[in-house]
Amino acid sequence: MEFSPLIARLMEDLRCLPGIGPKSAQRMAFHLLEHDREGALRLAASLAEAVEKVGRCTRCRNLSENEVCPLCANPTRDAGLLCVVESPADVRAIEQSSAYRGLYFVLMGHLSPLDGIGPAEIGLDRLQARLDEANLREVILATNPTVEGEATAHYIHEMVLARGIASSRIAHGVPLGGELEYVDGGTLSHAFAGRRSL
Amino acid sequence: MSGKPIPLQPAYVLHQRPWGDSSVIAELFTPEQGRLGVLAKGAKRARSPWRGQLQPFRPLLVAWRGRGELKTLTTAEPQGQALALPAGRLASGFYLNELLMRLLTREDAQYTLFGCYDATLRALASDRDEALEASLRRFERDMLSALGYGLILDHEVIDGRPLSAARRYHYLIERGPVAAEADLAAEGIPLLGASLLALQQGEFTTADQRREAKRLMRAVLAHYLGPRPLASRALLAGPPAPVVATEKITTD
């Protein structure tokens, strides 16, 4: 069956969302048009407004419609601690699960020379300015435990060290509730190298 | 559809990039096929056995199927212990990978070069800092010769006289060393015979030899790499020294 041009276009456009194939796009389109036209209008308006207004926070580079995002502007956060992460999703994960009360810096990626992503592309000039201006006590490097994430952490560690600020790397190890037998070798060797005395 | 299964082969991941939501396309380096593109379906899923495996600098055993340009990965498992490259050496590792990505054609057997790569990565994981540079120079030298661009490091290219450590030479790219007095010499890279001989041995005894060998290799590699610079060199150089911080110390 052929869809009319507008419906076909809607389905095609919905497929720009991650994980949405032709079948799901069709379901979404029909749902919006048959059952929830009001929701569809709200969605359209939110999308248009968000795309127009959301930019990057000038302090942490996280997504925000304000020049300084609420997290950076919050006076109760500890301004002496800075946590460097790769993506906005990482900020959210840390905010939801840990007692961390410091500030963030979001790289929006990691160093990846073979993809042509160097220090400038992940905003390290901005981070450098931040390291120079603020009275930081400690920078926590929470990039992913991939090869690129480690290389990124090391590069930033050198920047931080040169300014006489303490830097630390988040621990890698056995997941809670996991069994050693099933943990991969790389993680296990990290867990041993990073063991703590009790 | 895919012919006989291929027995497991040693491999390293040179590079990987996401493909769709849950898969990755990995560029592998194997002895039998050289550089090889494989699609690893579902490698990013939480339960994938490949999650975390398809990383650079990790010795793997792999199998794949398919005949086209892009194969489908069927097996990948770690071979022996992971090489623990210290974080400060990762940039050197990326440098090796970038060279191979740029200079190797796909599916061209590279038995010798694979051995060199493996040995160089192991050296990166265990070498003392002083030995590191020599390891990189040996890799560059052996890579060029495996690709058919081997350097002449023991005799003059015009009259075949053996090089003398004490004399000065000019190295002509794609030709070889000529005596500094020769007519052609002006275009070449000037250096001491001892540096060329040290590069051939793969062991440097003085800082001058190291510096000259590095400059020679840079020029030769630049010739084959073309105008686009190597991105990993920026990483190797490390972050720029803090200007503001030193001012702070003096004013405080």
Side-chain angles (χ1 to χ4, degrees), chain B residues 26-213:
Chain B
E27 209 63 52
L28 301 180
F29 183 38
T30 66
E32 233 167 80
Q33 309 277 323
R35 185 159 78 84
L36 183 76
V38 295
L39 174 64
K41 285 185 187 159
K44 284 199 293 185
R45 293 219 174 89
R47 287 168 186 280
S48 167
W50 297 337
R51 214 167 111 98
Q53 300 285 353
L54 300 178
Q55 291 271 317
F57 320 132
R58 185 165 297 183
L60 297 172
L61 285 170
V62 298
W64 62 85
R65 59 184 161 75
R67 293 217 183 95
E69 169 92 348
L70 193 67
K71 319 291 187 207
T72 303
L73 191 68
T74 54
T75 311
E77 51 191 66
Q79 182 191 29
Q81 278 201 323
L83 305 178
L85 251 62
R89 306 262 173 96
L90 289 174
S92 303
F94 283 129
Y95 171 69
L96 303 183
N97 285 6
E98 195 176 11
L99 284 178
L100 293 178
M101 287 288 288
R102 293 271 295 270
L103 294 174
L104 286 186
T105 49
R106 272 187 174 169
E107 298 185 39
D108 195 9
Q110 290 292 355
Y111 295 98
T112 323
L113 186 53
F114 188 86
C116 294
Y117 179 73
D118 183 70
T120 310
L121 283 187
R122 287 172 198 279
L124 287 184
S126 61
D127 264 1
R128 286 167 299 115
D129 282 340
E130 310 86 76
L132 200 62
E133 214 179 317
S135 293
L136 291 177
R137 290 300 90 73
R138 282 195 297 269
F139 176 79
E140 291 163 340
R141 178 197 67 191
D142 296 342
M143 178 189 68
L144 287 172
S145 85
L147 295 174
Y149 306 137
L151 303 179
I152 296 173
L153 299 168
D154 57 351
H155 61 268
E156 281 184 50
V157 69
I158 294 174
D159 49 19
R161 261 184 306 186
L163 298 185
S164 128
R167 287 187 62 187
R168 293 208 64 85
Y169 297 89
H170 284 226
Y171 198 96
L172 303 175
I173 290 172
E174 295 217 303
R175 300 196 56 187
V178 296
E181 310 82 55
D183 296 341
L184 287 161
E187 302 148 38
I189 299 128
L191 76 179
L192 201 62
S195 303
L196 288 166
L197 293 168
L199 184 58
Q200 189 188 27
Q201 294 294 318
E203 297 293 340
F204 304 94
T205 46
T206 69
D208 275 348
Q209 289 174 9
R210 265 192 288 275
R211 204 185 50 245
E212 289 193 333

Side-chain angles (χ1 to χ4, degrees), chain A residues 152-171:
Chain A
T152 309
H154 177 76
Y155 193 94
I156 298 173
H157 166 72
E158 290 199 325
M159 287 169 63
V160 174
L161 208 64
R163 288 159 177 83
I165 304 169
S167 78
S168 57
R169 180 85 175 102
I170 52 164

Side-chain angles (χ1 to χ4, degrees), chain A residues 60-62 83-88 91 104-109 122:
Chain A
C60 70
R61 281 177 39 105
N62 203 351
C83 178
V84 180
V85 296
E86 290 187 18
S87 75
V91 173
Y104 291 92
F105 189 87
V106 186
L107 301 170
M108 299 279 179
I122 56 170

